[in-house]
Amino acid sequence: MKSLIDWLDNRTGIKQAIASVFYQRIPGGARWRYVWGTTLLFAVVVQFITGIVLWMHYSPSTQTAWESVYYIQHEMTGGALLRGIHLYTSSAVMLLMSLHLLQVVVHGAYRRPREVTYWLGLGAMVMLLGLGQTGYLLTWDQRGFGAAKVATNIAGASPSIGDDVKAIALGGDDLGHHTLTRFAALHMGVLPAGLVFFLVLHAAVGRRQGLTPPEKETDKPDGVYWPDQALRDAVVSLAVIATVVWIAMRFPAELGPPSDGSVEFNTARPEWYFRFLFQLLKYFPGASGMFIASQLIPGIIMLVLLLMPFIGNWKLGRWFNTLFVLSVFAGIGVLTALSFNEDYNGKTEKSKHYLADLRLAHAEAERSIELASMGIPVDGARGQTRRDPLIAGRRLFKAHCASCHSHHDVSLENPHEEGDPLTTVVCDEPTAANLYKFGSREWMEGMLDHEKLVGPEFFGNTIFAEGDMVYWVQGTITDELADLPDDEKQAFKMQVRAAAWAISGLAELPYQKEKDEEQSEQLEQGMDIVLNELSCIDCHTLGDEEAGAGPDLTDYASEEWLTEFIRNPRTERFYYSEDNYDEADRLMPGYATHADDPDLNTLSDEEISLIVRWIRRDWPVAENEAAEESAEADEPAAEPAPDVPAEEESEDTAETSNEES
């Protein structure tokens, strides 16, 4: 080994190079305050190593960026930890860089003869800030997409040349493949090369000048880097990486839903170290305001930082520099705190909306990951989410149905905060029924409950609040129940429930399928009650039994029934008849009434299908999710199953037993 080292040293001078590092003079001996520069360099090296591995698995295009990050995060062995280390080390870099800058300014390390060392350090700082900004959007999720939009808008805010700069950043007229490719090139090529350039020169020139000596005289003699200062650097560096690894394991890096420019996304926020800029932009609206907040003010700050070596030569210059940097950091801290407070205080309407949108974004992200786990199609994850009944169905329902209908669990006091975001849409002033679990057993039981039927969740806000159905339920069920002796009321309730469940069974809802199959005999008996006891066919058509003006109950709430209903409810099959002809304007409009010219329809067949499947909760589920849902379905039912025939059989059995006795 010694021969090999001597051979290498003979040709490279490596021994002298290493000795110049390890035996560098430390004025006043080893100190903890000297650790920040080395620790920052250590963190940057971690970023380079993890970044290179991530780069090997990353594919920068709008159809592969999110997908490759998904692969790294959820499929690649150790990928989640690797990405987490890369992400959280970038935050550590920003903190260490700030501490290092503060140390340099407070101790006057920019003064003669170290001006060039200081300026080279500022160059490295600009490269690090650029890396932080460009890396944020490479995931190409909704947050990254929003960040890219803001970044290109900022680039376009420059007077005179703004449009040209923006066009170059975009690589076209809008965000797309070229935009992502440009930012990837910046993040993985241009900026790292620039950073290496500045760091190498910064280290070389800095070694020539040496560390800044203590200002106060000290009895402590000068030392060398090895071993005391090296030990201090190693301790802090290990503490940093240990903290980063712990955070990465405890809080895995997030991956939002795939980017989709056609979808409103209100929770795009920059990383915490750029939150101050995001907040500052709020105070300077418009294109000129964006220029002031994003370029003029940061430009002035950068100019003052550059001039500090000259300003520091004045009598009060050093005090000015120190107060200036402290003021900048204080301002950044205040703006950052304001930004987080406005989003997370949970008291203002703006904050409540943000938190609700954030819950939805997290839910869509989890759903997108679940979809990807089932296989990503050729057109990518964005196309997959656009065809997903759970994500796309909700978006379409909110866009086209939520002006009248809500879709939320009425048992929740605050569905905005407690409900599943993907199945919850709340209409503030509904004028139609709440369609949550439309056609289910619970929903049909509500239809046969007069109090619920006239309530806001069913007919309360519609023209049917005083319709025949309401009077029929009042007279046939509510009044009948009230007149019965107490010992017969339970049996009657079971009959009504059996009827409700039988009609619900016509929907063939996926989430009720197993129950319907297990209780098929009871549903048949319930249908007998529908036809004979309650005589629903006096008003409703049901199979071969044709009747009056009520909606056709044949295959009620099935996929076909709902599809045709949304297409055009103003037909005789549903609720359009001579009785409500004058109320046509208050009836639900048709969304696909132009069979001969589909381009005139409000919704396409595919969009209607997505809404129908969302209402029916008919969406693909990954195997692990399906297992969890199955386990939940095995829980005991909250309400007892109707047992009308069993009761009759019990009476017969009792009579037989009495005769035998």
Side-chain angles (χ1 to χ4, degrees), residues 520-582:
S520 59
E521 186 177 344
Q522 290 157 301
L523 296 189
E524 289 180 8
Q525 292 157 355
M527 186 53 66
D528 184 63
I529 295 173
V530 170
L531 297 174
N532 301 313
E533 300 293 334
L534 299 180
S535 300
C536 298
I537 55 175
D538 287 349
C539 298
H540 298 277
T541 294
L542 182 52
D544 296 333
E545 303 288 345
E546 297 185 4
D552 188 347
L553 295 184
T554 307
D555 298 329
Y556 179 72
S558 66
E559 185 169 351
E560 185 275 336
W561 191 96
L562 260 176
T563 299
E564 293 304 316
F565 188 86
I566 295 174
R567 278 179 172 279
N568 189 9
R570 299 178 181 184
T571 64
E572 292 184 356
R573 180 181 177 184
F574 301 111
Y575 54 62
Y576 192 60
S577 67
E578 293 182 356
D579 294 339
N580 54 33
Y581 184 85
D582 295 334

Side-chain angles (χ1 to χ4, degrees), residues 407-411 434-453 457-458 496-505 507 509 511-513 515-516 519 523 556-557 615 617 636-640 642:
H407 187 285
H408 64 82
D409 187 348
V410 296
S411 66
N434 180 352
L435 298 182
Y436 185 77
K437 289 192 174 182
F438 173 77
S440 67
R441 295 179 174 186
E442 308 94 281
W443 205 87
M444 287 309 306
E445 287 183 44
M447 283 288 290
L448 299 181
D449 182 323
H450 181 266
E451 185 176 348
K452 292 182 179 178
L453 187 60
E457 304 303 331
F458 290 91
V496 174
R497 174 169 293 171
W501 288 19
I503 298 175
S504 173
L509 296 170
Y511 58 91
Q512 274 187 188
K513 183 178 180 182
K515 289 183 179 178
D516 289 345
Q519 298 168 339
L523 296 189
Y556 179 72
I615 293 173
R617 307 170 77 87
E639 298 291 341

